[in-house]
Amino acid sequence: MKTIAALLERTNNINRSAYVWNALNAVISALQNPVILLVMTRTNGIYDAGIFSIAFAIATLMLYVGLYGLRRFQSSDLHNKYTFSEYHGMRILTCTLMIFVSAIYCLYGMIFTGYSTEKALVIFMICIVKVCQAYSDVYHGCMQQQGRLDVATKSSAVRYTFEMLAYVVLLIITKNLLLSTAAFMAASIIGLLLTSVNAGRNYCTYRPSFRWEKIKGLAIEGFPLFASLFLNMYISNAPKYAIDDFLTEDVQALYNMIFMPAFAVMLIANFIFNPILTTYAELWLDKTKESLRKLKKHIIKQMCVVAGLTLLGLAVAATIGIPVLSLIFGVDLSEYRLELCVVMIGGGALAYATYFSTVITVIRLQNTLIVCYGIVALGARLLSGFFVMNYGIMGAAAMYAFLMTILALMLFVITVWGIKIKR
């Protein structure tokens, strides 16, 4: 165990290692879903791929119950308003809640929406994988706060790889969806213990604190972030939930195949600005004109980066995107070129929305997030079913792009307004 921790900590340059491993972690995270999906499509067929797709979407939504939006707050808590033990105690409670909510959702699906026992179990086990991710995140926040983001991202990258290999190997050998998902879950638990928890002891105390006044404070301060991030993921996946309600597993798989590149844009954009979260907080807390100028320069730079990634993704989607996706997944997607381009626009807008919400958190205006996300989530709830039922995959793609664009514009306005009024 100590050997593994030592390997995770080994580096000649901490800052360079943090950027490199953060990039690798983002790439591996972005690849995990599509790699499993493409293997499953070829080994088990498009129906099981559809089950996995909606299970992953639901589990990712549940993840935000476990995270409770506190990572950004924790990483930028430079004055240690709360101790790690208090963050740790809060994370144990939110992960427990996540398990409970996931179980209730699966039971509801079996009783009221016709989920098979297999589908419900697959969803629940993938939710447990996301519980491991949520729990590891509290250790990673502590590592980042102490300047060792490299250790955190190495831990995540190793665990993601271990999980993915376990799922893929079992799929190839057994072609059994349930057994392969169980291996996925087991690999995640083992990976969590060997990496994040193991290395975390050098930076954090294992003993959690459950002092009521501190838990209450974190619950209150974290709620706007939790609600906004939860609603953000709901908005992103609203078309998938509508497909699950009204269409078939086959359509679900097809939509997720063309959705993959758009989600990758957001994940890759995240790895670029996540390492500078603490830098943003330092610039904001330093009440000088020079610091404010640097912060604005950072914001403009990251906006240009996201724009470049989106345009590059759109160009690829319009030219070789469909042939490449068809080759990868072994499914003819030639009739979905326009849908892919529309989804890519939505992916760029989601990257902007995620970035602006990060800046809004740093300048401590997170209470405004819940209003923006709430409005757009309500629109998603009211409109997604109609568009999906009437226009199929194009309706899902158009709703995704429209909702993400509206959200990004709202958060951009809040960001500009917030920096102006608070400085």
Side-chain angles (χ1 to χ4, degrees):
M1 297 284 280
K2 290 184 179 179
T3 302
I4 294 173
L7 287 173
L8 293 171
E9 291 178 339
R10 183 179 298 172
T11 181
N12 294 322
N13 186 310
I14 290 176
N15 290 331
R16 182 177 61 195
S17 182
Y19 274 94
V20 170
W21 278 100
N22 197 54
L24 287 172
N25 182 52
V27 171
I28 295 169
S29 176
L31 286 176
Q32 190 181 65
N33 191 1
V35 166
I36 294 172
L37 187 61
L38 76 88
V39 173
M40 189 174 295
T41 303
R42 294 176 179 273
T43 58
N44 291 37
I46 198 168
Y47 183 85
D48 278 0
I51 293 178
F52 171 77
S53 296
I54 189 61
F56 204 89
I58 292 168
T60 303
L61 181 66
M62 296 299 170
L63 170 65
Y64 288 92
V65 176
L67 293 173
Y68 201 71
L70 287 173
R71 171 62 182 275
R72 297 174 187 176
F73 190 90
Q74 180 186 359
S75 299
S76 58
D77 185 9
L78 301 182
H79 296 317
N80 294 312
K81 183 176 182 179
Y82 298 95
T83 66
F84 173 76
S85 294
E86 290 156 358
Y87 283 114
H88 190 192
M90 182 65 175
R91 188 59 57 90
I92 290 173
L93 293 177
T94 58
C95 285
T96 302
L97 178 62
M98 178 182 170
I99 295 171
F100 178 75
V101 173
S102 299
I104 293 298
Y105 181 91
C106 292
L107 288 173
Y108 176 87
M110 292 177 65
I111 296 170
F112 295 103
T113 62
Y115 282 6
S116 65
T117 301
E118 181 185 47
K119 183 174 180 178
L121 285 173
V122 168
I123 292 172
F124 184 73
M125 285 191 286
I126 295 180
C127 285
I128 296 301
V129 171
K130 294 299 182 180
V131 170
C132 294
Q133 182 178 338
Y135 182 67
S136 68
D137 181 76
V138 74
Y139 288 101
H140 297 171
C142 178
M143 295 171 186
Q144 182 176 4
Q145 196 178 35
Q146 296 184 42
R148 292 310 302 263
L149 180 63
D150 61 315
V151 180
T153 51
K154 285 177 188 177
S155 298
S156 289
V158 170
R159 191 182 74 253
Y160 288 147
T161 303
F162 188 38
E163 293 168 356
M164 183 166 54
L165 287 175
Y167 211 147
V168 166
V169 170
L170 263 292
L171 274 175
I172 294 172
I173 294 173
T174 69
K175 296 182 173 61
N176 186 297
L177 176 62
L178 205 57
L179 183 60
S180 300
T181 307
F184 187 45
M185 178 181 68
S188 184
I189 295 170
I190 294 169
L192 167 69
L193 296 176
L194 291 178
T195 58
S196 301
V197 175
N198 181 27
R201 63 186 172 184
N202 294 331
Y203 305 94
C204 329
T205 174
Y206 284 159
R207 186 183 298 276
S209 172
F210 297 98
R211 294 169 57 194
W212 166 246
E213 64 274 15
K214 293 295 185 177
I215 294 297
K216 179 182 177 182
L218 281 170
I220 292 172
E221 294 205 62
F223 181 77
L225 289 174
F226 154 68
S228 60
L229 291 170
F230 183 87
L231 291 173
N232 180 34
M233 187 52 58
Y234 171 78
I235 295 163
S236 301
N237 288 329
K240 298 181 185 180
Y241 305 140
I243 291 172
D244 189 47
D245 289 337
F246 301 110
L247 301 178
T248 65
E249 306 294 355
D250 293 3
V251 174
Q252 185 73 256
L254 291 170
Y255 177 74
N256 275 271
M257 289 172 192
I258 67 169
F259 182 78
M260 290 299 172
F263 190 62
V265 168
M266 191 275 286
L267 288 176
I268 293 171
N270 273 347
F271 96 72
I272 295 173
F273 59 74
N274 271 350
I276 56 177
L277 178 59
T278 303
T279 301
Y280 278 30
E282 291 171 347
L283 290 173
W284 182 251
L285 291 173
D286 184 12
K287 304 293 185 178
T288 65
K289 290 183 178 180
E290 179 61 19
S291 295
L292 181 59
R293 187 189 66 80
K294 288 182 179 179
L295 178 61
K296 289 179 178 178
K297 186 176 179 180
H298 272 298
I299 292 172
I300 294 171
K301 178 181 177 181
Q302 299 310 320
M303 288 176 65
C304 292
V305 168
V306 174
L309 286 171
T310 304
L311 290 173
L312 176 62
L314 193 58
V316 172
T319 53
I320 63 172
I322 288 298
V324 169
L325 288 176
S326 296
L327 179 64
I328 289 173
F329 291 109
V331 176
D332 183 11
L333 299 170
S334 57
E335 61 181 289
Y336 301 113
R337 187 182 303 274
L338 181 57
E339 286 87 342
L340 176 60
C341 292
V342 172
V343 166
M344 288 303 298
I345 294 171
L350 174 60
Y352 275 119
T354 304
Y355 176 67
F356 292 138
S357 68
T358 301
V359 177
I360 289 169
T361 301
V362 169
I363 65 177
R364 295 297 186 256
L365 276 177
Q366 60 266 31
N367 289 335
T368 63
L369 294 175
I370 193 171
V371 177
C372 298
Y373 283 105
I375 292 171
V376 179
L378 180 61
R381 179 63 180 171
L382 294 175
L383 298 174
S384 290
F386 171 81
F387 274 85
V388 165
M389 282 190 294
N390 288 279
Y391 304 103
I393 292 179
M394 175 51 86
M399 273 306 302
Y400 172 73
F402 173 74
L403 292 170
M404 289 300 104
T405 301
I406 294 298
L407 181 61
L409 289 172
M410 293 175 70
L411 295 177
F412 172 71
V413 171
I414 295 294
T415 299
V416 173
W417 171 78
I419 290 176
K420 184 177 180 179
I421 67 162
K422 296 202 75 175
R423 294 299 287 264

